[in-house]
Amino acid sequence: MLEDEPINNPPSNHACYKRFRRRICRGHGSDGAPLASTPLATGRCCSPCYEFDTVRQRLAMDSPPRDSTTETTQDVTNKSLQEWNQNGGTHLQPFAVLSRESLEPQSKAAMKLAAPSLLNDYYSNLLACSCTGLIALALGSDVYLWNSETQSLEGHVHPAQGSAPHSLPGRAGRPRQAVSSLCWSVDGRLLSIGTRQGLIQVQLWDVETKITLGCLRPHLSGVGALSWKQNLLSSGSVLGRIHHHDLRVPSALVGAADQQAGVCSLQWSPGEDRLASGSKDGRLSVWDGDVAAAAASQTAKPLRPPLVTMKQPSAVKAMGWCPWQRHVIATGGGWRDGELRIWDTQSASCVNSYATNSQICSLLWAEEKRSLVCGHGLPHHNISCWAADNPTSLDRSHQLKGHTDRVLHLAMSPASASRLFSAGADKRVHVWSL
């Protein structure tokens, strides 16, 4: 039998197929109109490109889903099978317990909590802990509150347009924007929320009454960092503008400052007489605490320059004042740098530096433990702890391992000084005992 000989096909059917094939090739039916299955040539195209259609379909199927709230295959491999089954597979609730272990003072074990939709952004500040131990975590455009003492979810906040005295009139109904920064007031009563972009940039939310108090005067760009000094709230934008808001006065804005690049870290000193700001171009600036003298909205004088400015090769995102040696600041370098630096703000000099061989995404001082804690990115994705009895001379003591992606945020509860909270790009929150 020949290879091209039809099998069990009647001659009539074979002839019909030949006629149908000839009609497809000619592109016309019996009435002269194109057949429904014939591609129509457009423009100067000579023939349809079937290969393009095939490639386009393949790319669409191979591309990952755009919804960041959906767990991908890589996320599944990062969980144990038991955790995956317990949490329903694809969607985990915020602060859902993935594993619970002993949190004795000498234990290094961690409680693992779910943080779906946590933004993997080096320049965001999305984790904060109040003086009462209430954890605020920004997931997308919502902020979730978790009580670290009772280990229960208290609720969540939807940043939205308000009608309070400090809000902008006539701009309600706009869509909510992703949260970019969080900061608790000193007394733990107010939570300030900065957004990535949009009209309302800073919101105040009263924890006790669970209502939005108002929206402060917005920046022209997203809020990169926030810091409180009693009733004064300072906010830094990604365009380098720093605003000071006093909630006791009707106009709220009482001072301003400018730096050359976007603000990615902002913190008042323990004595509240200095403000440190870190920029994306590697500048660490220290400002006078008298913000009213730097007010720009009511005077034509130029803005005051910083008292001192120090420079490192990478962005100053991880930054913190030492609580027990108040003129000392620690900063961490990015993935091209990886240096942990200790600065003396009085002499405006770097007094010591340590090579960590890893990106430093976050850091904080643990006053009770007299230690410095750093959250790392590539290539280690761990937390390093440094003995800091003398803040200008550190000794690496131990490491905390458990995250599978960079440790973006760190927070510590003043109510329990030995308890450390970390949030990583692996969409997990870990609770550590130092």
Side-chain angles (χ1 to χ4, degrees):
M1 178 182 296
L2 299 177
E3 293 182 359
D4 58 349
E5 182 178 350
I7 304 175
N8 298 328
N9 286 338
S12 59
N13 292 342
H14 186 64
C16 292
Y17 172 74
K18 280 188 172 183
R19 286 196 299 270
F20 176 76
R21 186 175 60 182
R22 284 197 300 271
R23 291 172 62 186
I24 288 293
C25 293
R26 288 198 302 267
H28 295 279
S30 57
D31 56 355
L35 292 174
S37 59
T38 305
L40 296 176
T42 58
R44 302 178 64 180
C45 297
C46 300
S47 61
C49 180
Y50 299 102
E51 294 181 358
F52 174 79
D53 291 339
T54 303
V55 172
R56 182 177 59 186
Q57 292 175 10
R58 188 177 70 248
L59 289 176
M61 289 186 293
D62 292 345
S63 300
R66 293 180 180 270
D67 185 4
S68 60
T69 62
T70 303
E71 296 280 350
T72 63
T73 304
Q74 183 63 35
D75 294 328
V76 178
T77 60
N78 292 335
K79 303 184 186 70
S80 67
L81 183 60
Q82 180 181 0
E83 292 172 352
W84 180 252
N85 293 332
Q86 287 176 350
N87 292 281
T90 57
H91 296 284
L92 298 176
Q93 295 298 320
F95 289 101
V97 178
L98 303 179
S99 67
R100 189 193 301 270
E101 300 183 32
S102 172
L103 283 175
E104 296 299 324
Q106 300 301 322
S107 174
K108 299 299 188 295
M111 186 196 320
K112 297 181 182 180
L113 307 171
S117 303
L118 180 64
L119 188 65
N120 184 6
D121 181 17
Y122 178 79
Y123 295 106
S124 296
N125 295 279
L126 306 179
L127 179 69
C129 183
S130 72
C131 61
T132 60
L134 195 59
I135 301 295
L137 178 67
L139 301 176
S141 57
D142 293 324
V143 179
Y144 289 83
L145 304 176
W146 187 75
N147 192 319
S148 62
E149 298 301 316
T150 62
Q151 299 181 3
S152 61
L153 185 64
E154 296 286 333
H156 63 279
V157 185
H158 297 284
Q161 296 288 112
S163 57
H166 300 319
S167 63
L168 292 179
R171 302 208 177 185
R174 299 296 181 92
R176 292 182 290 119
Q177 303 293 338
V179 175
S180 58
S181 56
L182 297 173
C183 189
W184 288 99
S185 60
V186 178
D187 59 4
R189 189 176 65 89
L190 297 178
L191 175 64
S192 55
I193 304 172
T195 59
R196 182 165 297 276
Q197 60 183 22
L199 299 173
I200 298 302
Q201 297 295 329
V202 179
Q203 287 207 334
L204 299 177
W205 194 77
D206 193 311
V207 177
E208 295 178 356
T209 60
K210 297 184 178 180
I211 61 172
T212 299
L213 296 182
C215 305
L216 302 178
R217 175 178 176 177
H219 290 278
L220 297 178
S221 58
V223 175
L226 297 163
S227 184
W228 285 87
K229 171 188 173 181
Q230 299 302 323
N231 292 310
L232 188 76
L233 173 63
S234 300
S235 60
S237 77
V238 298
L239 291 182
R241 188 81 169 181
I242 299 175
H243 285 174
H244 304 291
H245 313 272
D246 192 335
L247 307 182
R248 298 167 296 183
V249 299
S251 60
L253 183 65
V254 296
D258 263 328
Q259 65 180 32
Q260 296 183 8
V263 178
C264 52
S265 60
L266 196 67
Q267 190 179 94
W268 280 98
S269 64
E272 298 186 337
D273 57 340
R274 296 288 185 268
L275 176 69
S277 65
S279 67
K280 293 183 178 180
D281 65 350
R283 297 178 187 271
L284 173 62
S285 302
V286 179
W287 308 82
D288 192 342
D290 185 9
V291 298
S297 57
Q298 296 146 6
T299 179
K301 295 180 181 180
L303 298 179
R304 283 187 176 184
L307 298 176
V308 294
T309 299
M310 295 154 281
K311 191 77 167 62
Q312 72 177 26
S314 57
V316 184
K317 161 59 168 60
M319 180 266 288
W321 290 90
C322 177
W324 59 93
Q325 198 161 333
R326 298 189 171 185
H327 61 277
V328 171
I329 295 181
T331 63
W335 69 273
R336 292 183 179 179
D337 182 9
E339 290 279 330
L340 175 60
R341 293 179 175 85
I342 307 298
W343 304 86
D344 186 334
T345 59
Q346 293 179 335
S347 61
S349 61
C350 179
V351 295
N352 222 329
S353 64
Y354 307 87
T356 66
N357 300 317
S358 180
Q359 179 189 44
I360 303 177
C361 305
S362 51
L363 65 80
L364 57 80
W365 297 88
E367 184 173 8
E368 184 175 301
K369 297 292 183 179
R370 284 294 197 268
S371 63
L372 178 63
V373 183
C374 300
H376 295 278
L378 290 170
H380 302 308
H381 305 144
N382 60 7
I383 300 172
S384 62
C385 300
W386 304 73
D389 292 324
N390 180 4
T392 59
S393 180
L394 305 179
D395 291 317
R396 190 195 296 262
S397 56
H398 60 278
Q399 296 180 352
L400 303 176
K401 298 181 179 180
H403 282 286
T404 59
D405 209 330
R406 55 185 181 173
V407 184
L408 295 170
H409 314 290
L410 293 174
M412 183 168 287
S413 171
S416 179
S418 63
R419 189 167 296 182
L420 174 70
F421 304 91
S422 63
D426 55 0
K427 296 179 172 53
R428 297 291 179 267
V429 173
H430 289 192
V431 184
W432 310 87
S433 182
L434 293 179

